[in-house]
mmCIF file with all atom_site columns, all heavy atoms in Angstrom:
data_model
loop_
_atom_site.group_PDB
_atom_site.id
_atom_site.type_symbol
_atom_site.label_atom_id
_atom_site.label_alt_id
_atom_site.label_comp_id
_atom_site.label_asym_id
_atom_site.label_entity_id
_atom_site.label_seq_id
_atom_site.pdbx_PDB_ins_code
_atom_site.Cartn_x
_atom_site.Cartn_y
_atom_site.Cartn_z
_atom_site.occupancy
_atom_site.B_iso_or_equiv
_atom_site.pdbx_formal_charge
_atom_site.auth_seq_id
_atom_site.auth_comp_id
_atom_site.auth_asym_id
_atom_site.auth_atom_id
_atom_site.pdbx_PDB_model_num
ATOM 1   N N   . ALA C 1 98  ? 84.727 -73.567  41.671 1.00 0.00 ? 98  ALA C N   1
ATOM 2   C CA  . ALA C 1 98  ? 84.639 -73.892  40.217 1.00 0.00 ? 98  ALA C CA  1
ATOM 3   C C   . ALA C 1 98  ? 85.298 -72.696  39.360 1.00 0.00 ? 98  ALA C C   1
ATOM 4   O O   . ALA C 1 98  ? 86.073 -72.966  38.425 1.00 0.00 ? 98  ALA C O   1
ATOM 5   C CB  . ALA C 1 98  ? 83.184 -74.072  39.822 1.00 0.00 ? 98  ALA C CB  1
ATOM 6   N N   . VAL C 1 99  ? 84.942 -71.547  39.732 1.00 0.00 ? 99  VAL C N   1
ATOM 7   C CA  . VAL C 1 99  ? 85.348 -70.311  38.909 1.00 0.00 ? 99  VAL C CA  1
ATOM 8   C C   . VAL C 1 99  ? 86.815 -70.100  39.089 1.00 0.00 ? 99  VAL C C   1
ATOM 9   O O   . VAL C 1 99  ? 87.590 -69.850  38.011 1.00 0.00 ? 99  VAL C O   1
ATOM 10  C CB  . VAL C 1 99  ? 84.548 -69.069  39.443 1.00 0.00 ? 99  VAL C CB  1
ATOM 11  C CG1 . VAL C 1 99  ? 85.227 -67.724  38.903 1.00 0.00 ? 99  VAL C CG1 1
ATOM 12  C CG2 . VAL C 1 99  ? 83.139 -69.172  38.960 1.00 0.00 ? 99  VAL C CG2 1
ATOM 13  N N   . ARG C 1 100 ? 87.347 -70.486  40.345 1.00 0.00 ? 100 ARG C N   1
ATOM 14  C CA  . ARG C 1 100 ? 88.811 -70.265  40.490 1.00 0.00 ? 100 ARG C CA  1
ATOM 15  C C   . ARG C 1 100 ? 89.720 -71.311  39.994 1.00 0.00 ? 100 ARG C C   1
ATOM 16  O O   . ARG C 1 100 ? 90.740 -71.135  39.611 1.00 0.00 ? 100 ARG C O   1
ATOM 17  C CB  . ARG C 1 100 ? 89.054 -70.084  42.033 1.00 0.00 ? 100 ARG C CB  1
ATOM 18  C CG  . ARG C 1 100 ? 88.923 -68.576  42.579 1.00 0.00 ? 100 ARG C CG  1
ATOM 19  C CD  . ARG C 1 100 ? 89.112 -68.556  43.953 1.00 0.00 ? 100 ARG C CD  1
ATOM 20  N NE  . ARG C 1 100 ? 88.093 -69.346  44.637 1.00 0.00 ? 100 ARG C NE  1
ATOM 21  C CZ  . ARG C 1 100 ? 88.408 -70.336  45.523 1.00 0.00 ? 100 ARG C CZ  1
ATOM 22  N NH1 . ARG C 1 100 ? 89.656 -70.610  45.784 1.00 0.00 ? 100 ARG C NH1 1
ATOM 23  N NH2 . ARG C 1 100 ? 87.504 -70.951  46.039 1.00 0.00 ? 100 ARG C NH2 1
ATOM 24  N N   . HIS C 1 101 ? 89.124 -72.552  40.003 1.00 0.00 ? 101 HIS C N   1
ATOM 25  C CA  . HIS C 1 101 ? 89.889 -73.744  39.538 1.00 0.00 ? 101 HIS C CA  1
ATOM 26  C C   . HIS C 1 101 ? 89.084 -74.313  38.352 1.00 0.00 ? 101 HIS C C   1
ATOM 27  O O   . HIS C 1 101 ? 88.668 -75.608  38.547 1.00 0.00 ? 101 HIS C O   1
ATOM 28  C CB  . HIS C 1 101 ? 90.226 -74.642  40.597 1.00 0.00 ? 101 HIS C CB  1
ATOM 29  C CG  . HIS C 1 101 ? 90.852 -73.984  41.703 1.00 0.00 ? 101 HIS C CG  1
ATOM 30  N ND1 . HIS C 1 101 ? 90.340 -73.714  43.009 1.00 0.00 ? 101 HIS C ND1 1
ATOM 31  C CD2 . HIS C 1 101 ? 92.173 -73.658  41.903 1.00 0.00 ? 101 HIS C CD2 1
ATOM 32  C CE1 . HIS C 1 101 ? 91.217 -73.170  43.694 1.00 0.00 ? 101 HIS C CE1 1
ATOM 33  N NE2 . HIS C 1 101 ? 92.440 -73.100  43.044 1.00 0.00 ? 101 HIS C NE2 1
ATOM 34  N N   . GLY C 1 102 ? 88.874 -73.742  37.271 1.00 0.00 ? 102 GLY C N   1
ATOM 35  C CA  . GLY C 1 102 ? 88.110 -74.215  36.188 1.00 0.00 ? 102 GLY C CA  1
ATOM 36  C C   . GLY C 1 102 ? 88.530 -75.469  35.699 1.00 0.00 ? 102 GLY C C   1
ATOM 37  O O   . GLY C 1 102 ? 87.740 -76.512  35.696 1.00 0.00 ? 102 GLY C O   1
ATOM 38  N N   . GLY C 1 103 ? 89.862 -75.695  35.277 1.00 0.00 ? 103 GLY C N   1
ATOM 39  C CA  . GLY C 1 103 ? 90.270 -76.836  34.702 1.00 0.00 ? 103 GLY C CA  1
ATOM 40  C C   . GLY C 1 103 ? 90.166 -78.047  35.663 1.00 0.00 ? 103 GLY C C   1
ATOM 41  O O   . GLY C 1 103 ? 89.736 -79.178  35.270 1.00 0.00 ? 103 GLY C O   1
ATOM 42  N N   . LEU C 1 104 ? 90.466 -77.823  36.903 1.00 0.00 ? 104 LEU C N   1
ATOM 43  C CA  . LEU C 1 104 ? 90.406 -78.905  37.955 1.00 0.00 ? 104 LEU C CA  1
ATOM 44  C C   . LEU C 1 104 ? 88.941 -79.232  38.118 1.00 0.00 ? 104 LEU C C   1
ATOM 45  O O   . LEU C 1 104 ? 88.552 -80.367  38.291 1.00 0.00 ? 104 LEU C O   1
ATOM 46  C CB  . LEU C 1 104 ? 91.092 -78.322  39.289 1.00 0.00 ? 104 LEU C CB  1
ATOM 47  C CG  . LEU C 1 104 ? 90.990 -79.437  40.381 1.00 0.00 ? 104 LEU C CG  1
ATOM 48  C CD1 . LEU C 1 104 ? 91.785 -80.569  40.045 1.00 0.00 ? 104 LEU C CD1 1
ATOM 49  C CD2 . LEU C 1 104 ? 91.682 -78.643  41.698 1.00 0.00 ? 104 LEU C CD2 1
ATOM 50  N N   . PHE C 1 105 ? 87.942 -78.292  38.381 1.00 0.00 ? 105 PHE C N   1
ATOM 51  C CA  . PHE C 1 105 ? 86.486 -78.618  38.416 1.00 0.00 ? 105 PHE C CA  1
ATOM 52  C C   . PHE C 1 105 ? 86.084 -79.438  37.385 1.00 0.00 ? 105 PHE C C   1
ATOM 53  O O   . PHE C 1 105 ? 85.247 -80.436  37.620 1.00 0.00 ? 105 PHE C O   1
ATOM 54  C CB  . PHE C 1 105 ? 85.808 -77.343  38.670 1.00 0.00 ? 105 PHE C CB  1
ATOM 55  C CG  . PHE C 1 105 ? 84.419 -77.514  38.904 1.00 0.00 ? 105 PHE C CG  1
ATOM 56  C CD1 . PHE C 1 105 ? 83.829 -77.677  40.345 1.00 0.00 ? 105 PHE C CD1 1
ATOM 57  C CD2 . PHE C 1 105 ? 83.488 -77.400  37.860 1.00 0.00 ? 105 PHE C CD2 1
ATOM 58  C CE1 . PHE C 1 105 ? 82.474 -77.891  40.446 1.00 0.00 ? 105 PHE C CE1 1
ATOM 59  C CE2 . PHE C 1 105 ? 82.029 -77.524  38.078 1.00 0.00 ? 105 PHE C CE2 1
ATOM 60  C CZ  . PHE C 1 105 ? 81.661 -77.820  39.457 1.00 0.00 ? 105 PHE C CZ  1
ATOM 61  N N   . ARG C 1 106 ? 86.269 -78.997  36.154 1.00 0.00 ? 106 ARG C N   1
ATOM 62  C CA  . ARG C 1 106 ? 85.808 -79.758  35.007 1.00 0.00 ? 106 ARG C CA  1
ATOM 63  C C   . ARG C 1 106 ? 86.326 -81.109  35.084 1.00 0.00 ? 106 ARG C C   1
ATOM 64  O O   . ARG C 1 106 ? 85.535 -82.032  34.737 1.00 0.00 ? 106 ARG C O   1
ATOM 65  C CB  . ARG C 1 106 ? 86.339 -79.018  33.754 1.00 0.00 ? 106 ARG C CB  1
ATOM 66  C CG  . ARG C 1 106 ? 85.433 -78.002  33.121 1.00 0.00 ? 106 ARG C CG  1
ATOM 67  C CD  . ARG C 1 106 ? 85.850 -77.491  31.790 1.00 0.00 ? 106 ARG C CD  1
ATOM 68  N NE  . ARG C 1 106 ? 85.899 -75.992  31.734 1.00 0.00 ? 106 ARG C NE  1
ATOM 69  C CZ  . ARG C 1 106 ? 86.838 -75.228  31.768 1.00 0.00 ? 106 ARG C CZ  1
ATOM 70  N NH1 . ARG C 1 106 ? 88.100 -75.710  31.950 1.00 0.00 ? 106 ARG C NH1 1
ATOM 71  N NH2 . ARG C 1 106 ? 86.706 -73.941  31.773 1.00 0.00 ? 106 ARG C NH2 1
ATOM 72  N N   . LEU C 1 107 ? 87.556 -81.274  35.342 1.00 0.00 ? 107 LEU C N   1
ATOM 73  C CA  . LEU C 1 107 ? 88.187 -82.706  35.409 1.00 0.00 ? 107 LEU C CA  1
ATOM 74  C C   . LEU C 1 107 ? 87.479 -83.581  36.448 1.00 0.00 ? 107 LEU C C   1
ATOM 75  O O   . LEU C 1 107 ? 87.108 -84.708  36.193 1.00 0.00 ? 107 LEU C O   1
ATOM 76  C CB  . LEU C 1 107 ? 89.733 -82.531  35.788 1.00 0.00 ? 107 LEU C CB  1
ATOM 77  C CG  . LEU C 1 107 ? 90.415 -83.920  35.937 1.00 0.00 ? 107 LEU C CG  1
ATOM 78  C CD1 . LEU C 1 107 ? 90.473 -84.527  34.594 1.00 0.00 ? 107 LEU C CD1 1
ATOM 79  C CD2 . LEU C 1 107 ? 91.672 -83.767  36.587 1.00 0.00 ? 107 LEU C CD2 1
ATOM 80  N N   . MET C 1 108 ? 87.281 -82.937  37.610 1.00 0.00 ? 108 MET C N   1
ATOM 81  C CA  . MET C 1 108 ? 86.695 -83.696  38.841 1.00 0.00 ? 108 MET C CA  1
ATOM 82  C C   . MET C 1 108 ? 85.203 -84.306  38.275 1.00 0.00 ? 108 MET C C   1
ATOM 83  O O   . MET C 1 108 ? 84.928 -85.377  38.801 1.00 0.00 ? 108 MET C O   1
ATOM 84  C CB  . MET C 1 108 ? 86.413 -82.834  40.029 1.00 0.00 ? 108 MET C CB  1
ATOM 85  C CG  . MET C 1 108 ? 87.758 -82.401  40.677 1.00 0.00 ? 108 MET C CG  1
ATOM 86  S SD  . MET C 1 108 ? 87.698 -80.942  41.726 1.00 0.00 ? 108 MET C SD  1
ATOM 87  C CE  . MET C 1 108 ? 86.172 -81.396  42.705 1.00 0.00 ? 108 MET C CE  1
ATOM 88  N N   . PHE C 1 109 ? 84.515 -83.548  37.472 1.00 0.00 ? 109 PHE C N   1
ATOM 89  C CA  . PHE C 1 109 ? 83.155 -84.079  37.020 1.00 0.00 ? 109 PHE C CA  1
ATOM 90  C C   . PHE C 1 109 ? 83.087 -84.507  35.603 1.00 0.00 ? 109 PHE C C   1
ATOM 91  O O   . PHE C 1 109 ? 82.170 -84.567  34.943 1.00 0.00 ? 109 PHE C O   1
ATOM 92  C CB  . PHE C 1 109 ? 82.220 -82.987  37.365 1.00 0.00 ? 109 PHE C CB  1
ATOM 93  C CG  . PHE C 1 109 ? 81.984 -82.679  38.801 1.00 0.00 ? 109 PHE C CG  1
ATOM 94  C CD1 . PHE C 1 109 ? 82.541 -81.611  39.383 1.00 0.00 ? 109 PHE C CD1 1
ATOM 95  C CD2 . PHE C 1 109 ? 81.182 -83.578  39.574 1.00 0.00 ? 109 PHE C CD2 1
ATOM 96  C CE1 . PHE C 1 109 ? 82.461 -81.411  40.828 1.00 0.00 ? 109 PHE C CE1 1
ATOM 97  C CE2 . PHE C 1 109 ? 81.033 -83.338  40.912 1.00 0.00 ? 109 PHE C CE2 1
ATOM 98  C CZ  . PHE C 1 109 ? 81.697 -82.207  41.486 1.00 0.00 ? 109 PHE C CZ  1
ATOM 99  N N   . SER C 1 110 ? 84.414 -84.816  35.130 1.00 0.00 ? 110 SER C N   1
ATOM 100 C CA  . SER C 1 110 ? 84.372 -85.235  33.643 1.00 0.00 ? 110 SER C CA  1
ATOM 101 C C   . SER C 1 110 ? 84.040 -86.785  33.606 1.00 0.00 ? 110 SER C C   1
ATOM 102 O O   . SER C 1 110 ? 84.103 -87.339  34.574 1.00 0.00 ? 110 SER C O   1
ATOM 103 C CB  . SER C 1 110 ? 85.769 -85.015  33.184 1.00 0.00 ? 110 SER C CB  1
ATOM 104 O OG  . SER C 1 110 ? 86.650 -85.871  33.711 1.00 0.00 ? 110 SER C OG  1
ATOM 105 N N   . ALA C 1 111 ? 83.612 -87.103  32.417 1.00 0.00 ? 111 ALA C N   1
ATOM 106 C CA  . ALA C 1 111 ? 83.341 -88.491  32.146 1.00 0.00 ? 111 ALA C CA  1
ATOM 107 C C   . ALA C 1 111 ? 84.471 -89.485  32.352 1.00 0.00 ? 111 ALA C C   1
ATOM 108 O O   . ALA C 1 111 ? 84.355 -90.500  32.976 1.00 0.00 ? 111 ALA C O   1
ATOM 109 C CB  . ALA C 1 111 ? 82.891 -88.629  30.787 1.00 0.00 ? 111 ALA C CB  1
ATOM 110 N N   . GLU C 1 112 ? 85.747 -88.941  31.871 1.00 0.00 ? 112 GLU C N   1
ATOM 111 C CA  . GLU C 1 112 ? 86.833 -89.808  32.060 1.00 0.00 ? 112 GLU C CA  1
ATOM 112 C C   . GLU C 1 112 ? 87.106 -90.210  33.475 1.00 0.00 ? 112 GLU C C   1
ATOM 113 O O   . GLU C 1 112 ? 87.432 -91.353  33.791 1.00 0.00 ? 112 GLU C O   1
ATOM 114 C CB  . GLU C 1 112 ? 88.178 -89.150  31.449 1.00 0.00 ? 112 GLU C CB  1
ATOM 115 C CG  . GLU C 1 112 ? 89.318 -90.001  31.427 1.00 0.00 ? 112 GLU C CG  1
ATOM 116 C CD  . GLU C 1 112 ? 90.418 -89.348  30.484 1.00 0.00 ? 112 GLU C CD  1
ATOM 117 O OE1 . GLU C 1 112 ? 90.323 -88.256  30.090 1.00 0.00 ? 112 GLU C OE1 1
ATOM 118 O OE2 . GLU C 1 112 ? 91.360 -90.173  30.169 1.00 0.00 ? 112 GLU C OE2 1
ATOM 119 N N   . VAL C 1 113 ? 87.170 -89.115  34.388 1.00 0.00 ? 113 VAL C N   1
ATOM 120 C CA  . VAL C 1 113 ? 87.410 -89.391  35.806 1.00 0.00 ? 113 VAL C CA  1
ATOM 121 C C   . VAL C 1 113 ? 86.335 -90.142  36.422 1.00 0.00 ? 113 VAL C C   1
ATOM 122 O O   . VAL C 1 113 ? 86.390 -91.113  37.249 1.00 0.00 ? 113 VAL C O   1
ATOM 123 C CB  . VAL C 1 113 ? 87.559 -88.075  36.544 1.00 0.00 ? 113 VAL C CB  1
ATOM 124 C CG1 . VAL C 1 113 ? 87.395 -88.228  38.066 1.00 0.00 ? 113 VAL C CG1 1
ATOM 125 C CG2 . VAL C 1 113 ? 89.062 -87.554  36.256 1.00 0.00 ? 113 VAL C CG2 1
ATOM 126 N N   . THR C 1 114 ? 84.965 -89.766  36.125 1.00 0.00 ? 114 THR C N   1
ATOM 127 C CA  . THR C 1 114 ? 83.849 -90.331  36.782 1.00 0.00 ? 114 THR C CA  1
ATOM 128 C C   . THR C 1 114 ? 83.855 -92.016  36.362 1.00 0.00 ? 114 THR C C   1
ATOM 129 O O   . THR C 1 114 ? 83.512 -92.750  37.319 1.00 0.00 ? 114 THR C O   1
ATOM 130 C CB  . THR C 1 114 ? 82.497 -89.812  36.191 1.00 0.00 ? 114 THR C CB  1
ATOM 131 O OG1 . THR C 1 114 ? 82.699 -88.373  36.482 1.00 0.00 ? 114 THR C OG1 1
ATOM 132 C CG2 . THR C 1 114 ? 81.322 -90.303  36.971 1.00 0.00 ? 114 THR C CG2 1
ATOM 133 N N   . ARG C 1 115 ? 84.040 -92.208  35.100 1.00 0.00 ? 115 ARG C N   1
ATOM 134 C CA  . ARG C 1 115 ? 84.024 -93.545  34.595 1.00 0.00 ? 115 ARG C CA  1
ATOM 135 C C   . ARG C 1 115 ? 84.949 -94.470  35.521 1.00 0.00 ? 115 ARG C C   1
ATOM 136 O O   . ARG C 1 115 ? 84.599 -95.668  35.870 1.00 0.00 ? 115 ARG C O   1
ATOM 137 C CB  . ARG C 1 115 ? 84.431 -93.704  33.210 1.00 0.00 ? 115 ARG C CB  1
ATOM 138 C CG  . ARG C 1 115 ? 83.862 -94.871  32.535 1.00 0.00 ? 115 ARG C CG  1
ATOM 139 C CD  . ARG C 1 115 ? 84.177 -95.005  31.146 1.00 0.00 ? 115 ARG C CD  1
ATOM 140 N NE  . ARG C 1 115 ? 83.743 -93.674  30.379 1.00 0.00 ? 115 ARG C NE  1
ATOM 141 C CZ  . ARG C 1 115 ? 84.408 -92.848  29.799 1.00 0.00 ? 115 ARG C CZ  1
ATOM 142 N NH1 . ARG C 1 115 ? 85.692 -93.185  29.478 1.00 0.00 ? 115 ARG C NH1 1
ATOM 143 N NH2 . ARG C 1 115 ? 83.987 -91.892  29.149 1.00 0.00 ? 115 ARG C NH2 1
ATOM 144 N N   . GLY C 1 116 ? 86.176 -94.052  35.814 1.00 0.00 ? 116 GLY C N   1
ATOM 145 C CA  . GLY C 1 116 ? 87.091 -94.767  36.517 1.00 0.00 ? 116 GLY C CA  1
ATOM 146 C C   . GLY C 1 116 ? 86.985 -94.843  37.988 1.00 0.00 ? 116 GLY C C   1
ATOM 147 O O   . GLY C 1 116 ? 87.816 -95.199  38.711 1.00 0.00 ? 116 GLY C O   1
ATOM 148 N N   . ARG C 1 117 ? 85.973 -94.125  38.541 1.00 0.00 ? 117 ARG C N   1
ATOM 149 C CA  . ARG C 1 117 ? 85.735 -93.807  39.998 1.00 0.00 ? 117 ARG C CA  1
ATOM 150 C C   . ARG C 1 117 ? 85.575 -95.100  40.848 1.00 0.00 ? 117 ARG C C   1
ATOM 151 O O   . ARG C 1 117 ? 85.997 -95.230  41.917 1.00 0.00 ? 117 ARG C O   1
ATOM 152 C CB  . ARG C 1 117 ? 84.724 -92.812  40.136 1.00 0.00 ? 117 ARG C CB  1
ATOM 153 C CG  . ARG C 1 117 ? 85.119 -91.778  41.144 1.00 0.00 ? 117 ARG C CG  1
ATOM 154 C CD  . ARG C 1 117 ? 84.209 -90.564  41.089 1.00 0.00 ? 117 ARG C CD  1
ATOM 155 N NE  . ARG C 1 117 ? 82.999 -90.571  41.986 1.00 0.00 ? 117 ARG C NE  1
ATOM 156 C CZ  . ARG C 1 117 ? 82.226 -89.657  42.229 1.00 0.00 ? 117 ARG C CZ  1
ATOM 157 N NH1 . ARG C 1 117 ? 82.324 -88.482  41.640 1.00 0.00 ? 117 ARG C NH1 1
ATOM 158 N NH2 . ARG C 1 117 ? 81.158 -89.822  42.947 1.00 0.00 ? 117 ARG C NH2 1
ATOM 159 N N   . ALA C 1 118 ? 84.651 -95.992  40.225 1.00 0.00 ? 118 ALA C N   1
ATOM 160 C CA  . ALA C 1 118 ? 84.465 -97.211  40.966 1.00 0.00 ? 118 ALA C CA  1
ATOM 161 C C   . ALA C 1 118 ? 85.648 -98.128  41.370 1.00 0.00 ? 118 ALA C C   1
ATOM 162 O O   . ALA C 1 118 ? 85.807 -98.670  42.294 1.00 0.00 ? 118 ALA C O   1
ATOM 163 C CB  . ALA C 1 118 ? 83.458 -98.077  40.053 1.00 0.00 ? 118 ALA C CB  1
ATOM 164 N N   . GLU C 1 119 ? 86.694 -97.993  40.417 1.00 0.00 ? 119 GLU C N   1
ATOM 165 C CA  . GLU C 1 119 ? 87.871 -98.919  40.564 1.00 0.00 ? 119 GLU C CA  1
ATOM 166 C C   . GLU C 1 119 ? 89.037 -97.971  41.444 1.00 0.00 ? 119 GLU C C   1
ATOM 167 O O   . GLU C 1 119 ? 89.979 -98.582  41.688 1.00 0.00 ? 119 GLU C O   1
ATOM 168 C CB  . GLU C 1 119 ? 88.422 -99.372  39.432 1.00 0.00 ? 119 GLU C CB  1
ATOM 169 C CG  . GLU C 1 119 ? 87.551 -100.253 38.612 1.00 0.00 ? 119 GLU C CG  1
ATOM 170 C CD  . GLU C 1 119 ? 86.755 -99.616  37.644 1.00 0.00 ? 119 GLU C CD  1
ATOM 171 O OE1 . GLU C 1 119 ? 87.341 -98.933  36.776 1.00 0.00 ? 119 GLU C OE1 1
ATOM 172 O OE2 . GLU C 1 119 ? 85.567 -99.751  37.674 1.00 0.00 ? 119 GLU C OE2 1
ATOM 173 N N   . ASP C 1 120 ? 88.722 -96.776  41.794 1.00 0.00 ? 120 ASP C N   1
ATOM 174 C CA  . ASP C 1 120 ? 89.717 -96.067  42.399 1.00 0.00 ? 120 ASP C CA  1
ATOM 175 C C   . ASP C 1 120 ? 89.186 -95.659  43.836 1.00 0.00 ? 120 ASP C C   1
ATOM 176 O O   . ASP C 1 120 ? 88.507 -94.559  44.001 1.00 0.00 ? 120 ASP C O   1
ATOM 177 C CB  . ASP C 1 120 ? 90.012 -94.845  41.571 1.00 0.00 ? 120 ASP C CB  1
ATOM 178 C CG  . ASP C 1 120 ? 91.265 -93.982  42.116 1.00 0.00 ? 120 ASP C CG  1
ATOM 179 O OD1 . ASP C 1 120 ? 91.384 -93.943  43.303 1.00 0.00 ? 120 ASP C OD1 1
ATOM 180 O OD2 . ASP C 1 120 ? 92.022 -93.524  41.240 1.00 0.00 ? 120 ASP C OD2 1
ATOM 181 N N   . ALA C 1 121 ? 89.546 -96.401  44.850 1.00 0.00 ? 121 ALA C N   1
ATOM 182 C CA  . ALA C 1 121 ? 89.103 -96.207  46.177 1.00 0.00 ? 121 ALA C CA  1
ATOM 183 C C   . ALA C 1 121 ? 89.316 -94.740  46.772 1.00 0.00 ? 121 ALA C C   1
ATOM 184 O O   . ALA C 1 121 ? 88.511 -94.173  47.439 1.00 0.00 ? 121 ALA C O   1
ATOM 185 C CB  . ALA C 1 121 ? 89.665 -97.268  47.155 1.00 0.00 ? 121 ALA C CB  1
ATOM 186 N N   . THR C 1 122 ? 90.562 -94.305  46.476 1.00 0.00 ? 122 THR C N   1
ATOM 187 C CA  . THR C 1 122 ? 90.975 -92.954  46.944 1.00 0.00 ? 122 THR C CA  1
ATOM 188 C C   . THR C 1 122 ? 90.092 -91.904  46.417 1.00 0.00 ? 122 THR C C   1
ATOM 189 O O   . THR C 1 122 ? 89.550 -91.106  47.103 1.00 0.00 ? 122 THR C O   1
ATOM 190 C CB  . THR C 1 122 ? 92.405 -92.718  46.696 1.00 0.00 ? 122 THR C CB  1
ATOM 191 O OG1 . THR C 1 122 ? 93.244 -93.717  46.998 1.00 0.00 ? 122 THR C OG1 1
ATOM 192 C CG2 . THR C 1 122 ? 92.842 -91.406  47.227 1.00 0.00 ? 122 THR C CG2 1
#
Side-chain angles (χ1 to χ4, degrees):
Chain C
V99 168
R100 278 175 297 121
H101 303 106
L104 183 56
F105 181 84
R106 273 187 222 105
L107 176 72
M108 288 158 59
F109 293 98
S110 72
E112 187 166 11
V113 161
T114 303
R115 202 177 305 125
R117 227 162 85 172
E119 294 95 56
D120 191 324
T122 308

